[in-house]
Amino acid sequence: MTRVLIAGGATGIGAAAALAFLEQGAEVTVCDLNAEGLSALEDKARDLPGRIATKVLDLSLMSSPAEAVAFAVAQQGGIDCLFVNAGLLLSADLADWSEEMWQRSIAVNLSLPMFLTQAALPYLKASENASVIFTSSTGALRGHAGMPGYHATKSGVLGLVRALADELGPEDIRVNALLPGWVDTPFNDTFWDHQSDPAEARRKIDAGIPMRRHGTAAELAGTVLYLASDAARYVSGTQLVVDGGYTAV
Ligand SMILES: NC(=O)c1ccc[n+]([C@@H]2O[C@H](COP(=O)([O-])OP(=O)(O)OC[C@H]3O[C@@H](n4cnc5c(N)ncnc54)[C@H](O)[C@@H]3O)[C@@H](O)[C@H]2O)c1
């Protein structure tokens, strides 16, 4: 049975992945700072075959990786899949960016995947099919005004994937990045707020996506399950774009 730790999964892609793992009978631990979202997720999970445990945790704190891993291991005895999915999108004109905004972006988007993997390492080494998945973004391949912290850190995640895939490959631990395109979740609210005409901005973005729409969180979950599965036993150090064709054109 797959034992999963999801960092950032009260809503959106992380929650959809948690439900998809639970449908397969997995043991899933979800850490997130959104207490209300976590209890709604537990409600949705009630009739599914797997088992869920949740913990309210601010994953921007340097103490959180050790806490998340200790909690997951106490619940499920180990970790086969580490899905580091929490993200922070801050938008402001360059002149208004503070050091605090910049450091917060780095803490959630870049330090968390690094130090959570470090904390989980003994358990990943003990797993029969260890898979580490970081949620990057097609924002690692493109850029938008007002979001330097997001684009810089999500690009940094791709370098982190390559370095960790090289270091952990000999231990049979696979490390990969998921790059979602535009997905309908609360996540992009700060982006829309930064646009002078949010509805028009969204219409233009959708018009530029070959599939002409945003994706749903559930449409991202399958790729997470794939990367954690036996089917992906030889997939490591790579980036999987799931974006309806957005970055192909
Ligand atoms: N939605 C999109 O269009 C899109 C596109 C590309 C990449 N992504 C990435 O997907 C990931 C998931 O985002 P989503 O779209 O599902 O949005 P979401 O807002 O629904 O999910 C993000 C989750 O991370 C949690 N989180 C954020 N900061 C946290 C912290 N400090 N401590 C604990 N939990 C924290 C939130 O509470 C939330 O549950 C993010 O890394 C995001 O960068 C999203």
Side-chain angles (χ1 to χ4, degrees), residues 46-141:
R46 196 141 293 145
D47 296 326
L48 298 179
R51 201 164 61 86
I52 188 169
T54 67
K55 184 174 176 62
V56 178
L57 198 57
D58 181 351
L59 294 161
S60 69
L61 303 177
M62 278 305 290
S63 54
S64 69
E67 274 186 71
V69 167
F71 179 73
V73 171
Q75 295 301 314
Q76 57 197 33
I79 299 169
D80 303 302
C81 174
L82 173 63
F83 181 31
V84 189
N85 176 65
L88 182 66
L89 172 62
L90 299 175
S91 283
D93 293 337
L94 181 57
D96 297 326
W97 267 79
S98 64
E99 189 184 344
E100 189 271 334
M101 291 165 73
W102 183 254
Q103 294 299 348
R104 207 146 44 95
S105 306
I106 292 175
V108 178
N109 295 347
L110 201 49
S111 300
L112 178 66
M114 165 70 185
F115 290 104
L116 195 48
T117 308
Q118 184 188 63
L121 190 54
Y123 305 99
L124 295 168
K125 280 184 182 173
S127 166
E128 294 291 309
N129 183 13
S131 173
V132 177
I133 305 161
F134 298 150
T135 305
S136 174
S137 169
T138 53
L141 312 175

Side-chain angles (χ1 to χ4, degrees), residues 128-200:
E128 294 291 309
N129 183 13
S131 173
V132 177
I133 305 161
F134 298 150
T135 305
S136 174
S137 169
T138 53
L141 312 175
R142 310 187 63 156
H144 285 100
M147 307 196 297
Y150 188 71
H151 291 288
T153 53
K154 290 295 186 178
S155 303
V157 166
L158 302 185
L160 186 62
V161 160
R162 294 182 194 116
L164 295 183
D166 187 33
E167 181 162 346
L168 304 182
E171 309 275 1
D172 212 15
I173 300 169
R174 302 177 292 103
V175 185
N176 292 290
L178 169 70
L179 280 70
W182 290 93
V183 185
D184 248 329
T185 71
F187 190 75
N188 293 319
D189 290 353
T190 49
F191 175 84
W192 304 122
D193 291 347
H194 192 67
Q195 310 305 310
S196 50
D197 183 345
E200 176 59 10

